[in-house]
């Protein structure tokens, strides 16, 4: 990122990196003749000092699975509040989290049903633990059975750390007759302040990325019919023991033609 910023015309770049990869990064910067324009600083953003009071632009690839996994946005907010000039730019400056319903019965059977008979042993007591862990995978477009719903949006110029823990309602419109077996989360980030705004999407409809989608399996499937709705609430917060992990609670209500009114609530931990 620092070399791209320098190539794009930044007068000087201060690159902060906590891990040991910074030693290789320094060699790469020197190999490309950019050591006079890029200063690499080893340490956590919260602990380091910059040789300037303010910066004009903050560029960071902070996004994790389901947007907020690993809580790197906390450090970006810290840097913004400490160093960004009043008229400075955040890149990206917009972020949104989306949810949709999918049919993934075979994978759930392989992943969860497997424990009912493991080489002749009943290990079904493991199933609740397996269900509580979201899967990060590429969701095939043909498995999507609802329209997407925006769960939360953030303005990176103004968002605060407490706002990253939230509860938000959702309403998913069913797009075909199917079995809804899981929820999928994806995100989009925007560079809206650029002369030509750019958006990056991790939707199943977009080109696949290393972020893929986060899949949360229901304990029991819902039989849904086109034009019905599944509504509920999604809660997201940092895990109190490890803030890099995320805890989710997803509650839902569905009144369907086939099975009538169904409700449920499940807790998940992304780690």
């Amino acid at each position: 990122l620092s070399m791209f910023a320098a190539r794009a015309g930044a007068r000087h770049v201060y690159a902060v990196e906590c891990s040991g990869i910074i030693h290789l990064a320094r060699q790469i910067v020197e190999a490309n003749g950019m050591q006079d324009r890029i200063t690499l600083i080893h340490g956590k953003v919260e602990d380091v000092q910059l040789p300037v009071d303010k910066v004009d632009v903050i560029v960071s690839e902070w996004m994790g699975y389901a947007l907020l996994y690993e809580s790197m946005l906390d450090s970006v907010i810290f840097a913004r509040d400490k160093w960004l000039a009043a008229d400075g730019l955040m890149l990206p400056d917009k972020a949104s989290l989306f949810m949709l319903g999918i049919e993934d019965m075979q994978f759930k059977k392989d992943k969860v049903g497997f424990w009912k008979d493991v080489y002749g042993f009943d290990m079904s007591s493991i199933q609740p633990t397996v269900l509580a862990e979201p899967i990060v995978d590429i969701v095939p477009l043909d498995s999507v059975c609802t329209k997407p719903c925006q769960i939360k949006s953030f303005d990176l110029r103004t968002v605060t750390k407490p706002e990253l823990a939230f509860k938000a309602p959702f309403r998913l419109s069913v797009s075909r007759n199917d079995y809804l077996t899981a929820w999928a989360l994806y995100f989009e980030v925007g560079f809206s302040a650029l002369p030509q705004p750019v958006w990056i999407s991790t939707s199943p409809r977009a080109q696949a990325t290393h972020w893929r989608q986060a899949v949360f399996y229901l304990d029991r499937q819902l039989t849904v019919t086109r034009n019905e709705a599944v509504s509920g609430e999604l809660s997201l917060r940092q895990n109190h023991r490890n803030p890099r992990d995320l805890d989710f609670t997803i509650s839902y209500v569905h009144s369907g033609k086939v099975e009538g009114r169904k409700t449920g609530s499940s807790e998940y931990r992304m780690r």
Side-chain angles (χ1 to χ4, degrees):
L1 285 178
S2 61
M3 292 195 297
F4 280 120
R7 177 188 286 176
R11 184 170 64 251
H12 200 90
V13 180
Y14 301 97
V16 181
E17 174 58 53
C18 184
S19 74
I21 196 69
I22 194 169
H23 303 299
L24 283 175
R26 187 170 287 114
Q27 295 177 31
I28 293 170
V29 167
E30 292 176 356
N32 286 273
M34 293 183 172
Q35 62 271 24
D36 294 334
R37 297 179 60 194
I38 299 174
T39 299
L40 290 101
I41 301 171
H42 193 190
K44 294 177 62 176
V45 166
E46 293 83 355
D47 298 333
V48 304
Q49 294 296 324
L50 297 186
V52 294
D53 293 329
K54 295 294 179 180
V55 299
D56 300 305
V57 183
I58 292 178
V59 184
S60 178
E61 189 275 285
W62 53 265
M63 299 80 73
Y65 303 136
L67 185 63
L68 297 176
Y69 179 61
E70 293 188 329
S71 301
M72 289 181 62
L73 183 53
D74 295 11
S75 296
V76 177
I77 291 173
F78 179 92
R80 178 201 68 192
D81 293 346
K82 186 172 183 178
W83 288 303
L84 187 64
D87 58 348
L89 297 179
M90 296 287 293
L91 299 175
D93 61 340
K94 305 289 185 183
S96 296
L97 182 65
F98 294 85
M99 179 180 188
L100 44 75
I102 66 173
E103 184 281 317
D104 197 7
M105 191 180 300
Q106 186 59 49
F107 190 84
K108 181 181 178 182
K109 180 179 178 181
D110 295 340
K111 177 179 183 295
V112 182
F114 163 81
W115 296 101
K116 291 182 179 180
D117 183 357
V118 182
Y119 301 106
F121 296 102
D122 181 357
M123 296 188 177
S124 56
S125 57
I126 296 177
Q127 288 179 326
T129 300
V130 175
L131 281 170
E133 296 183 2
I135 298 294
V136 176
D137 203 355
I138 294 175
V139 172
L141 185 56
D142 61 8
S143 70
V144 175
C145 60
T146 76
K147 297 178 181 178
C149 171
Q150 181 173 295
I151 295 293
K152 191 73 173 178
S153 62
F154 300 104
D155 183 340
L156 279 302
R157 285 276 305 170
T158 59
V159 67
T160 62
K161 184 177 175 180
E163 292 177 304
L164 303 182
F166 60 86
K167 294 181 180 179
F170 66 83
R171 186 179 187 277
L172 299 175
S173 177
V174 177
S175 54
R176 69 188 189 203
N177 299 349
D178 213 332
Y179 298 104
L180 195 159
T181 61
W183 321 107
L185 298 184
Y186 68 91
F187 66 85
E188 296 179 352
V189 293
F191 301 76
S192 68
L194 296 179
Q196 294 183 335
V198 175
W199 288 83
I200 298 173
S201 176
T202 63
S203 165
R205 298 183 182 278
Q207 184 176 350
T209 70
H210 73 280
W211 289 291
R212 293 164 283 181
Q213 292 85 38
V215 180
F216 302 72
Y217 287 95
L218 284 73
D219 57 354
R220 57 183 179 182
Q221 68 193 32
L222 296 175
T223 305
V224 295
T225 303
R226 184 181 180 185
N227 295 328
E228 292 180 347
V230 183
S231 58
E233 181 182 77
L234 182 145
S235 168
L236 184 155
R237 58 203 175 276
Q238 292 180 349
N239 181 267
H240 71 280
R241 292 183 179 178
N242 184 352
R244 292 170 63 89
D245 294 351
L246 293 178
D247 291 337
F248 295 82
T249 303
I250 302 178
S251 305
Y252 66 87
V253 177
H254 172 239
S255 296
K257 297 179 181 178
V258 178
E259 296 180 322
R261 189 174 188 271
K262 296 291 183 181
T263 64
S265 181
S266 298
E267 295 187 354
Y268 306 89
R269 180 179 177 185
M270 180 174 283
R271 55 186 175 183

